[in-house]
Amino acid sequence: QVQLQESGPGLVKPSQTLSLTCTVSGGSITRGGYYWSWIRQSSGKGLEWIGNIFYSGATYYNPSLKSRVTMSLDTSKNQFFLNLTSVTAADSAVYYCARALGGARPWGQGILVTVSS
Amino acid sequence: DIQMTQSPSSLSASVGDRVTITCRASQGIRNDLGWYQQKPGKAPERLIYAASNLQSGVPSRFSGSGSGTEFTLTISSLQPEDFVTYYCAQHNSYPWTFGQGTKVEIK
């Protein structure tokens, strides 16, 4: 079955760019008409949907983050990516990637990212 | 944005109890709603999709109902592993939004 795994730095300095990778195994990100999502969870704001990317490259971002978010994908590596610029402590959270169609399932295990100098 | 108001935020119950969690959308979302279970330190897992469809592999004691703006998740007989946190989420329109969660605790 499809599995997702997040990777990237666990510590990012304020004002820098948070960059995460989601590696998908057990199925191609170009098949099935799925969206590929990033979702984050912080103690202060609960679960927050960040955005979706379709295999065509079409993207949909949360307006609250839109000016700072870029999602992309590499179909040859079966990976998709999240870049979040100008981070502050408020961006500290567990970041999840997920497959989405009618909701999100499955999810990756999550990666804790802390923004601190 | 569509606001998802989940209630209660926490509840205390005993093994074998029947519990109901409610989620209200700020505008109609048809049946574009899922229920998720999150165990400590783990990612959420979907229990119910399209408001009332049980995800494969999920025990039949879980059920969902509702359409439009009012939705419920019912656990017919609480088991020890069910004392965790539950979330609703809508995917009817962007941005997708989540309820604030319901923590089910042992009485």
Side-chain angles (χ1 to χ4, degrees):
Chain A
Q1 76 265 24
V2 170
Q3 294 183 310
L4 297 90
Q5 177 71 60
E6 305 87 351
S7 59
L11 181 64
V12 181
K13 289 180 166 47
S15 80
Q16 293 192 340
T17 297
L18 181 161
S19 296
L20 297 176
T21 298
C22 183
T23 300
V24 180
S25 59
S28 171
I29 64 173
T30 64
R31 303 288 293 269
Y34 294 101
Y35 291 96
W36 303 93
S37 298
W38 287 99
I39 298 161
R40 69 182 183 180
Q41 184 172 31
S42 62
S43 56
K45 294 191 70 175
L47 286 162
E48 182 179 30
W49 172 80
I50 299 171
N52 286 351
I53 186 166
F54 199 51
Y55 76 91
S56 64
T59 53
Y60 304 86
Y61 300 142
N62 193 321
S64 67
L65 299 168
K66 188 174 184 177
S67 63
R68 300 192 292 128
V69 170
T70 304
M71 295 175 63
S72 59
L73 47 75
D74 185 335
T75 57
S76 67
K77 295 183 177 179
N78 226 32
Q79 294 176 325
F80 62 104
F81 310 99
L82 172 69
N83 273 4
L84 182 65
T85 63
S86 305
V87 297
T88 69
D91 295 309
S92 296
V94 176
Y95 285 75
Y96 297 101
C97 59
R99 187 180 69 174
L101 182 64
R105 176 183 182 268
W107 299 48
Q109 65 183 28
I111 182 169
L112 174 63
V113 178
T114 301
V115 178
S116 175
S117 56
Chain B
D1 299 7
I2 296 175
Q3 307 301 317
M4 303 301 294
T5 303
Q6 196 173 329
S7 61
S9 56
S10 66
L11 65 88
S12 295
S14 301
V15 173
D17 283 354
R18 178 185 181 93
V19 299
T20 298
I21 299 168
T22 298
C23 196
R24 178 178 292 115
S26 60
Q27 63 191 70
I29 59 169
R30 301 182 304 182
N31 68 339
D32 297 329
L33 179 120
W35 288 99
Y36 297 81
Q37 178 190 66
Q38 187 175 31
K39 298 177 180 178
K42 300 293 187 182
E45 293 187 1
R46 193 171 67 184
L47 301 173
I48 302 286
Y49 66 95
S52 60
N53 292 273
L54 192 67
Q55 193 70 53
S56 175
V58 173
S60 59
R61 63 181 180 271
F62 293 94
S63 63
S65 65
S67 183
T69 60
E70 296 280 337
F71 302 88
T72 60
L73 173 70
T74 299
I75 310 172
S76 61
S77 178
L78 275 171
Q79 298 303 299
E81 61 269 29
D82 300 338
F83 291 91
V84 292
T85 302
Y86 298 86
Y87 296 92
C88 62
Q90 67 83 19
H91 55 271
N92 176 263
S93 61
Y94 288 119
W96 293 0
T97 47
F98 292 84
Q100 75 273 28
T102 296
K103 186 174 184 179
V104 178
E105 299 175 309
I106 299 176
K107 185 182 290 183

PDB file of all heavy atoms in Angstrom, chain A residues 45-76:
ATOM      1  N   LYS A  45      -2.417  26.000  17.315  1.00  0.00           N
ATOM      2  CA  LYS A  45      -3.408  26.170  16.255  1.00  0.00           C
ATOM      3  C   LYS A  45      -4.026  24.873  15.773  1.00  0.00           C
ATOM      4  O   LYS A  45      -4.767  24.872  14.813  1.00  0.00           O
ATOM      5  CB  LYS A  45      -2.801  26.910  15.066  1.00  0.00           C
ATOM      6  CG  LYS A  45      -2.416  28.347  15.364  1.00  0.00           C
ATOM      7  CD  LYS A  45      -2.065  29.110  14.087  1.00  0.00           C
ATOM      8  CE  LYS A  45      -3.295  29.362  13.244  1.00  0.00           C
ATOM      9  NZ  LYS A  45      -2.961  30.217  12.059  1.00  0.00           N
ATOM     10  N   GLY A  46      -3.748  23.779  16.428  1.00  0.00           N
ATOM     11  CA  GLY A  46      -4.354  22.526  16.002  1.00  0.00           C
ATOM     12  C   GLY A  46      -3.866  22.116  14.626  1.00  0.00           C
ATOM     13  O   GLY A  46      -2.746  22.410  14.221  1.00  0.00           O
ATOM     14  N   LEU A  47      -4.736  21.440  13.878  1.00  0.00           N
ATOM     15  CA  LEU A  47      -4.390  20.967  12.540  1.00  0.00           C
ATOM     16  C   LEU A  47      -4.693  22.059  11.524  1.00  0.00           C
ATOM     17  O   LEU A  47      -5.782  22.619  11.506  1.00  0.00           O
ATOM     18  CB  LEU A  47      -5.173  19.704  12.208  1.00  0.00           C
ATOM     19  CG  LEU A  47      -4.711  18.429  12.902  1.00  0.00           C
ATOM     20  CD1 LEU A  47      -5.798  17.372  12.862  1.00  0.00           C
ATOM     21  CD2 LEU A  47      -3.428  17.911  12.258  1.00  0.00           C
ATOM     22  N   GLU A  48      -3.725  22.329  10.677  1.00  0.00           N
ATOM     23  CA  GLU A  48      -3.857  23.382   9.663  1.00  0.00           C
ATOM     24  C   GLU A  48      -3.441  22.836   8.308  1.00  0.00           C
ATOM     25  O   GLU A  48      -2.298  22.401   8.125  1.00  0.00           O
ATOM     26  CB  GLU A  48      -3.000  24.591  10.033  1.00  0.00           C
ATOM     27  CG  GLU A  48      -3.105  25.742   9.059  1.00  0.00           C
ATOM     28  CD  GLU A  48      -2.267  26.916   9.489  1.00  0.00           C
ATOM     29  OE1 GLU A  48      -1.224  26.712  10.140  1.00  0.00           O
ATOM     30  OE2 GLU A  48      -2.632  28.064   9.143  1.00  0.00           O
ATOM     31  N   TRP A  49      -4.351  22.873   7.360  1.00  0.00           N
ATOM     32  CA  TRP A  49      -4.036  22.462   5.991  1.00  0.00           C
ATOM     33  C   TRP A  49      -3.195  23.547   5.334  1.00  0.00           C
ATOM     34  O   TRP A  49      -3.552  24.722   5.373  1.00  0.00           O
ATOM     35  CB  TRP A  49      -5.334  22.232   5.222  1.00  0.00           C
ATOM     36  CG  TRP A  49      -5.157  21.994   3.771  1.00  0.00           C
ATOM     37  CD1 TRP A  49      -4.783  20.828   3.162  1.00  0.00           C
ATOM     38  CD2 TRP A  49      -5.370  22.931   2.716  1.00  0.00           C
ATOM     39  NE1 TRP A  49      -4.747  21.010   1.800  1.00  0.00           N
ATOM     40  CE2 TRP A  49      -5.105  22.285   1.505  1.00  0.00           C
ATOM     41  CE3 TRP A  49      -5.759  24.277   2.686  1.00  0.00           C
ATOM     42  CZ2 TRP A  49      -5.204  22.920   0.270  1.00  0.00           C
ATOM     43  CZ3 TRP A  49      -5.872  24.915   1.464  1.00  0.00           C
ATOM     44  CH2 TRP A  49      -5.595  24.230   0.272  1.00  0.00           C
ATOM     45  N   ILE A  50      -2.065  23.150   4.741  1.00  0.00           N
ATOM     46  CA  ILE A  50      -1.152  24.104   4.121  1.00  0.00           C
ATOM     47  C   ILE A  50      -1.441  24.226   2.627  1.00  0.00           C
ATOM     48  O   ILE A  50      -1.499  25.326   2.068  1.00  0.00           O
ATOM     49  CB  ILE A  50       0.311  23.673   4.337  1.00  0.00           C
ATOM     50  CG1 ILE A  50       0.645  23.628   5.831  1.00  0.00           C
ATOM     51  CG2 ILE A  50       1.261  24.615   3.583  1.00  0.00           C
ATOM     52  CD1 ILE A  50       2.001  23.016   6.142  1.00  0.00           C
ATOM     53  N   GLY A  51      -1.602  23.085   1.955  1.00  0.00           N
ATOM     54  CA  GLY A  51      -1.858  23.151   0.531  1.00  0.00           C
ATOM     55  C   GLY A  51      -1.865  21.788  -0.128  1.00  0.00           C
ATOM     56  O   GLY A  51      -1.514  20.782   0.488  1.00  0.00           O
ATOM     57  N   ASN A  52      -2.323  21.767  -1.370  1.00  0.00           N
ATOM     58  CA  ASN A  52      -2.372  20.567  -2.198  1.00  0.00           C
ATOM     59  C   ASN A  52      -1.623  20.806  -3.491  1.00  0.00           C
ATOM     60  O   ASN A  52      -1.616  21.921  -4.028  1.00  0.00           O
ATOM     61  CB  ASN A  52      -3.819  20.220  -2.574  1.00  0.00           C
ATOM     62  CG  ASN A  52      -4.619  19.642  -1.435  1.00  0.00           C
ATOM     63  OD1 ASN A  52      -4.084  19.327  -0.366  1.00  0.00           O
ATOM     64  ND2 ASN A  52      -5.915  19.507  -1.650  1.00  0.00           N
ATOM     65  N   ILE A  53      -1.043  19.737  -4.009  1.00  0.00           N
ATOM     66  CA  ILE A  53      -0.479  19.771  -5.345  1.00  0.00           C
ATOM     67  C   ILE A  53      -0.972  18.552  -6.098  1.00  0.00           C
ATOM     68  O   ILE A  53      -1.046  17.449  -5.547  1.00  0.00           O
ATOM     69  CB  ILE A  53       1.064  19.855  -5.322  1.00  0.00           C
ATOM     70  CG1 ILE A  53       1.621  20.042  -6.741  1.00  0.00           C
ATOM     71  CG2 ILE A  53       1.692  18.651  -4.617  1.00  0.00           C
ATOM     72  CD1 ILE A  53       3.084  20.470  -6.779  1.00  0.00           C
ATOM     73  N   PHE A  54      -1.359  18.766  -7.337  1.00  0.00           N
ATOM     74  CA  PHE A  54      -1.806  17.696  -8.218  1.00  0.00           C
ATOM     75  C   PHE A  54      -0.621  17.256  -9.058  1.00  0.00           C
ATOM     76  O   PHE A  54       0.349  17.994  -9.225  1.00  0.00           O
ATOM     77  CB  PHE A  54      -2.951  18.221  -9.071  1.00  0.00           C
ATOM     78  CG  PHE A  54      -3.805  17.181  -9.698  1.00  0.00           C
ATOM     79  CD1 PHE A  54      -4.348  16.146  -8.953  1.00  0.00           C
ATOM     80  CD2 PHE A  54      -4.095  17.228 -11.060  1.00  0.00           C
ATOM     81  CE1 PHE A  54      -5.156  15.186  -9.534  1.00  0.00           C
ATOM     82  CE2 PHE A  54      -4.900  16.272 -11.658  1.00  0.00           C
ATOM     83  CZ  PHE A  54      -5.429  15.253 -10.893  1.00  0.00           C
ATOM     84  N   TYR A  55      -0.707  16.037  -9.630  1.00  0.00           N
ATOM     85  CA  TYR A  55       0.438  15.521 -10.367  1.00  0.00           C
ATOM     86  C   TYR A  55       0.800  16.416 -11.554  1.00  0.00           C
ATOM     87  O   TYR A  55       1.935  16.430 -12.013  1.00  0.00           O
ATOM     88  CB  TYR A  55       0.184  14.090 -10.845  1.00  0.00           C
ATOM     89  CG  TYR A  55      -0.741  13.972 -12.033  1.00  0.00           C
ATOM     90  CD1 TYR A  55      -0.225  13.970 -13.329  1.00  0.00           C
ATOM     91  CD2 TYR A  55      -2.108  13.862 -11.868  1.00  0.00           C
ATOM     92  CE1 TYR A  55      -1.044  13.859 -14.424  1.00  0.00           C
ATOM     93  CE2 TYR A  55      -2.947  13.760 -12.966  1.00  0.00           C
ATOM     94  CZ  TYR A  55      -2.412  13.762 -14.240  1.00  0.00           C
ATOM     95  OH  TYR A  55      -3.238  13.664 -15.313  1.00  0.00           O
ATOM     96  N   SER A  56      -0.178  17.196 -12.026  1.00  0.00           N
ATOM     97  CA  SER A  56       0.089  18.112 -13.145  1.00  0.00           C
ATOM     98  C   SER A  56       0.905  19.311 -12.719  1.00  0.00           C
ATOM     99  O   SER A  56       1.413  20.066 -13.565  1.00  0.00           O
ATOM    100  CB  SER A  56      -1.241  18.601 -13.721  1.00  0.00           C
ATOM    101  OG  SER A  56      -1.933  19.357 -12.749  1.00  0.00           O
ATOM    102  N   GLY A  57       1.012  19.496 -11.413  1.00  0.00           N
ATOM    103  CA  GLY A  57       1.702  20.662 -10.881  1.00  0.00           C
ATOM    104  C   GLY A  57       0.773  21.744 -10.389  1.00  0.00           C
ATOM    105  O   GLY A  57       1.233  22.720  -9.787  1.00  0.00           O
ATOM    106  N   ALA A  58      -0.521  21.584 -10.637  1.00  0.00           N
ATOM    107  CA  ALA A  58      -1.491  22.559 -10.131  1.00  0.00           C
ATOM    108  C   ALA A  58      -1.464  22.572  -8.608  1.00  0.00           C
ATOM    109  O   ALA A  58      -1.376  21.521  -7.975  1.00  0.00           O
ATOM    110  CB  ALA A  58      -2.888  22.205 -10.620  1.00  0.00           C
ATOM    111  N   THR A  59      -1.531  23.762  -8.062  1.00  0.00           N
ATOM    112  CA  THR A  59      -1.416  23.902  -6.608  1.00  0.00           C
ATOM    113  C   THR A  59      -2.578  24.700  -6.028  1.00  0.00           C
ATOM    114  O   THR A  59      -3.184  25.546  -6.716  1.00  0.00           O
ATOM    115  CB  THR A  59      -0.105  24.602  -6.226  1.00  0.00           C
ATOM    116  OG1 THR A  59      -0.005  25.838  -6.948  1.00  0.00           O
ATOM    117  CG2 THR A  59       1.092  23.726  -6.532  1.00  0.00           C
ATOM    118  N   TYR A  60      -2.873  24.431  -4.785  1.00  0.00           N
ATOM    119  CA  TYR A  60      -3.904  25.150  -4.033  1.00  0.00           C
ATOM    120  C   TYR A  60      -3.337  25.390  -2.646  1.00  0.00           C
ATOM    121  O   TYR A  60      -3.007  24.425  -1.948  1.00  0.00           O
ATOM    122  CB  TYR A  60      -5.193  24.324  -3.949  1.00  0.00           C
ATOM    123  CG  TYR A  60      -5.725  23.929  -5.285  1.00  0.00           C
ATOM    124  CD1 TYR A  60      -5.270  22.777  -5.926  1.00  0.00           C
ATOM    125  CD2 TYR A  60      -6.661  24.713  -5.943  1.00  0.00           C
ATOM    126  CE1 TYR A  60      -5.749  22.422  -7.172  1.00  0.00           C
ATOM    127  CE2 TYR A  60      -7.150  24.359  -7.189  1.00  0.00           C
ATOM    128  CZ  TYR A  60      -6.682  23.213  -7.790  1.00  0.00           C
ATOM    129  OH  TYR A  60      -7.155  22.859  -9.039  1.00  0.00           O
ATOM    130  N   TYR A  61      -3.202  26.639  -2.257  1.00  0.00           N
ATOM    131  CA  TYR A  61      -2.577  26.968  -0.996  1.00  0.00           C
ATOM    132  C   TYR A  61      -3.580  27.604  -0.034  1.00  0.00           C
ATOM    133  O   TYR A  61      -4.531  28.275  -0.456  1.00  0.00           O
ATOM    134  CB  TYR A  61      -1.430  27.956  -1.201  1.00  0.00           C
ATOM    135  CG  TYR A  61      -0.312  27.477  -2.105  1.00  0.00           C
ATOM    136  CD1 TYR A  61       0.311  28.341  -2.991  1.00  0.00           C
ATOM    137  CD2 TYR A  61       0.136  26.158  -2.055  1.00  0.00           C
ATOM    138  CE1 TYR A  61       1.346  27.921  -3.815  1.00  0.00           C
ATOM    139  CE2 TYR A  61       1.173  25.726  -2.877  1.00  0.00           C
ATOM    140  CZ  TYR A  61       1.766  26.608  -3.755  1.00  0.00           C
ATOM    141  OH  TYR A  61       2.791  26.188  -4.560  1.00  0.00           O
ATOM    142  N   ASN A  62      -3.324  27.425   1.258  1.00  0.00           N
ATOM    143  CA  ASN A  62      -4.100  28.118   2.265  1.00  0.00           C
ATOM    144  C   ASN A  62      -3.797  29.618   2.150  1.00  0.00           C
ATOM    145  O   ASN A  62      -2.630  30.014   2.194  1.00  0.00           O
ATOM    146  CB  ASN A  62      -3.736  27.609   3.654  1.00  0.00           C
ATOM    147  CG  ASN A  62      -4.715  28.043   4.727  1.00  0.00           C
ATOM    148  OD1 ASN A  62      -5.198  29.167   4.717  1.00  0.00           O
ATOM    149  ND2 ASN A  62      -4.999  27.147   5.648  1.00  0.00           N
ATOM    150  N   PRO A  63      -4.835  30.437   2.006  1.00  0.00           N
ATOM    151  CA  PRO A  63      -4.590  31.881   1.860  1.00  0.00           C
ATOM    152  C   PRO A  63      -3.788  32.475   3.016  1.00  0.00           C
ATOM    153  O   PRO A  63      -3.075  33.455   2.820  1.00  0.00           O
ATOM    154  CB  PRO A  63      -6.006  32.476   1.815  1.00  0.00           C
ATOM    155  CG  PRO A  63      -6.848  31.368   1.288  1.00  0.00           C
ATOM    156  CD  PRO A  63      -6.259  30.109   1.847  1.00  0.00           C
ATOM    157  N   SER A  64      -3.910  31.855   4.189  1.00  0.00           N
ATOM    158  CA  SER A  64      -3.185  32.393   5.342  1.00  0.00           C
ATOM    159  C   SER A  64      -1.674  32.236   5.194  1.00  0.00           C
ATOM    160  O   SER A  64      -0.907  32.905   5.888  1.00  0.00           O
ATOM    161  CB  SER A  64      -3.649  31.683   6.618  1.00  0.00           C
ATOM    162  OG  SER A  64      -3.253  30.313   6.607  1.00  0.00           O
ATOM    163  N   LEU A  65      -1.239  31.355   4.288  1.00  0.00           N
ATOM    164  CA  LEU A  65       0.186  31.093   4.095  1.00  0.00           C
ATOM    165  C   LEU A  65       0.633  31.343   2.660  1.00  0.00           C
ATOM    166  O   LEU A  65       1.822  31.233   2.350  1.00  0.00           O
ATOM    167  CB  LEU A  65       0.511  29.631   4.452  1.00  0.00           C
ATOM    168  CG  LEU A  65       0.230  29.193   5.880  1.00  0.00           C
ATOM    169  CD1 LEU A  65       0.317  27.675   5.992  1.00  0.00           C
ATOM    170  CD2 LEU A  65       1.234  29.841   6.834  1.00  0.00           C
ATOM    171  N   LYS A  66      -0.316  31.692   1.813  1.00  0.00           N
ATOM    172  CA  LYS A  66      -0.075  31.683   0.372  1.00  0.00           C
ATOM    173  C   LYS A  66       1.139  32.502  -0.054  1.00  0.00           C
ATOM    174  O   LYS A  66       1.884  32.108  -0.959  1.00  0.00           O
ATOM    175  CB  LYS A  66      -1.322  32.195  -0.362  1.00  0.00           C
ATOM    176  CG  LYS A  66      -1.244  32.052  -1.863  1.00  0.00           C
ATOM    177  CD  LYS A  66      -2.567  32.430  -2.515  1.00  0.00           C
ATOM    178  CE  LYS A  66      -2.526  32.206  -4.021  1.00  0.00           C
ATOM    179  NZ  LYS A  66      -3.831  32.516  -4.651  1.00  0.00           N
ATOM    180  N   SER A  67       1.369  33.625   0.590  1.00  0.00           N
ATOM    181  CA  SER A  67       2.475  34.485   0.167  1.00  0.00           C
ATOM    182  C   SER A  67       3.838  33.879   0.480  1.00  0.00           C
ATOM    183  O   SER A  67       4.855  34.321  -0.057  1.00  0.00           O
ATOM    184  CB  SER A  67       2.357  35.852   0.842  1.00  0.00           C
ATOM    185  OG  SER A  67       2.471  35.720   2.243  1.00  0.00           O
ATOM    186  N   ARG A  68       3.855  32.833   1.332  1.00  0.00           N
ATOM    187  CA  ARG A  68       5.135  32.259   1.759  1.00  0.00           C
ATOM    188  C   ARG A  68       5.324  30.809   1.322  1.00  0.00           C
ATOM    189  O   ARG A  68       6.398  30.248   1.537  1.00  0.00           O
ATOM    190  CB  ARG A  68       5.252  32.322   3.282  1.00  0.00           C
ATOM    191  CG  ARG A  68       5.197  33.742   3.848  1.00  0.00           C
ATOM    192  CD  ARG A  68       5.619  33.773   5.313  1.00  0.00           C
ATOM    193  NE  ARG A  68       4.675  33.109   6.197  1.00  0.00           N
ATOM    194  CZ  ARG A  68       4.998  32.175   7.081  1.00  0.00           C
ATOM    195  NH1 ARG A  68       6.257  31.759   7.203  1.00  0.00           N
ATOM    196  NH2 ARG A  68       4.067  31.653   7.878  1.00  0.00           N
ATOM    197  N   VAL A  69       4.308  30.196   0.737  1.00  0.00           N
ATOM    198  CA  VAL A  69       4.352  28.756   0.447  1.00  0.00           C
ATOM    199  C   VAL A  69       4.579  28.485  -1.038  1.00  0.00           C
ATOM    200  O   VAL A  69       3.991  29.162  -1.902  1.00  0.00           O
ATOM    201  CB  VAL A  69       3.024  28.085   0.872  1.00  0.00           C
ATOM    202  CG1 VAL A  69       2.951  26.652   0.359  1.00  0.00           C
ATOM    203  CG2 VAL A  69       2.889  28.098   2.380  1.00  0.00           C
ATOM    204  N   THR A  70       5.406  27.487  -1.287  1.00  0.00           N
ATOM    205  CA  THR A  70       5.537  26.932  -2.624  1.00  0.00           C
ATOM    206  C   THR A  70       5.586  25.420  -2.499  1.00  0.00           C
ATOM    207  O   THR A  70       6.330  24.884  -1.668  1.00  0.00           O
ATOM    208  CB  THR A  70       6.810  27.411  -3.332  1.00  0.00           C
ATOM    209  OG1 THR A  70       6.835  28.836  -3.374  1.00  0.00           O
ATOM    210  CG2 THR A  70       6.865  26.867  -4.758  1.00  0.00           C
ATOM    211  N   MET A  71       4.765  24.740  -3.270  1.00  0.00           N
ATOM    212  CA  MET A  71       4.811  23.288  -3.344  1.00  0.00           C
ATOM    213  C   MET A  71       5.215  22.892  -4.762  1.00  0.00           C
ATOM    214  O   MET A  71       4.837  23.558  -5.736  1.00  0.00           O
ATOM    215  CB  MET A  71       3.453  22.676  -2.983  1.00  0.00           C
ATOM    216  CG  MET A  71       3.045  22.935  -1.531  1.00  0.00           C
ATOM    217  SD  MET A  71       1.384  22.338  -1.131  1.00  0.00           S
ATOM    218  CE  MET A  71       1.589  20.583  -1.397  1.00  0.00           C
ATOM    219  N   SER A  72       5.962  21.810  -4.853  1.00  0.00           N
ATOM    220  CA  SER A  72       6.399  21.310  -6.161  1.00  0.00           C
ATOM    221  C   SER A  72       6.526  19.798  -6.079  1.00  0.00           C
ATOM    222  O   SER A  72       6.367  19.215  -4.999  1.00  0.00           O
ATOM    223  CB  SER A  72       7.725  21.944  -6.561  1.00  0.00           C
ATOM    224  OG  SER A  72       8.724  21.650  -5.599  1.00  0.00           O
ATOM    225  N   LEU A  73       6.793  19.169  -7.216  1.00  0.00           N
ATOM    226  CA  LEU A  73       6.961  17.725  -7.196  1.00  0.00           C
ATOM    227  C   LEU A  73       8.007  17.291  -8.209  1.00  0.00           C
ATOM    228  O   LEU A  73       8.352  18.029  -9.139  1.00  0.00           O
ATOM    229  CB  LEU A  73       5.627  17.014  -7.422  1.00  0.00           C
ATOM    230  CG  LEU A  73       4.682  17.447  -8.536  1.00  0.00           C
ATOM    231  CD1 LEU A  73       5.161  17.007  -9.886  1.00  0.00           C
ATOM    232  CD2 LEU A  73       3.294  16.882  -8.288  1.00  0.00           C
ATOM    233  N   ASP A  74       8.545  16.126  -7.973  1.00  0.00           N
ATOM    234  CA  ASP A  74       9.504  15.476  -8.884  1.00  0.00           C
ATOM    235  C   ASP A  74       8.952  14.085  -9.166  1.00  0.00           C
ATOM    236  O   ASP A  74       9.111  13.174  -8.352  1.00  0.00           O
ATOM    237  CB  ASP A  74      10.884  15.416  -8.244  1.00  0.00           C
ATOM    238  CG  ASP A  74      11.946  14.858  -9.183  1.00  0.00           C
ATOM    239  OD1 ASP A  74      11.591  14.096 -10.121  1.00  0.00           O
ATOM    240  OD2 ASP A  74      13.137  15.157  -8.982  1.00  0.00           O
ATOM    241  N   THR A  75       8.301  13.939 -10.312  1.00  0.00           N
ATOM    242  CA  THR A  75       7.658  12.653 -10.604  1.00  0.00           C
ATOM    243  C   THR A  75       8.680  11.545 -10.825  1.00  0.00           C
ATOM    244  O   THR A  75       8.387  10.380 -10.551  1.00  0.00           O
ATOM    245  CB  THR A  75       6.758  12.781 -11.840  1.00  0.00           C
ATOM    246  OG1 THR A  75       7.539  13.244 -12.944  1.00  0.00           O
ATOM    247  CG2 THR A  75       5.608  13.748 -11.586  1.00  0.00           C
ATOM    248  N   SER A  76       9.870  11.895 -11.270  1.00  0.00           N
ATOM    249  CA  SER A  76      10.888  10.866 -11.499  1.00  0.00           C
ATOM    250  C   SER A  76      11.364  10.231 -10.194  1.00  0.00           C
ATOM    251  O   SER A  76      11.782   9.077 -10.163  1.00  0.00           O
ATOM    252  CB  SER A  76      12.075  11.458 -12.253  1.00  0.00           C
ATOM    253  OG  SER A  76      12.771  12.397 -11.451  1.00  0.00           O
TER     254      SER A  76
END
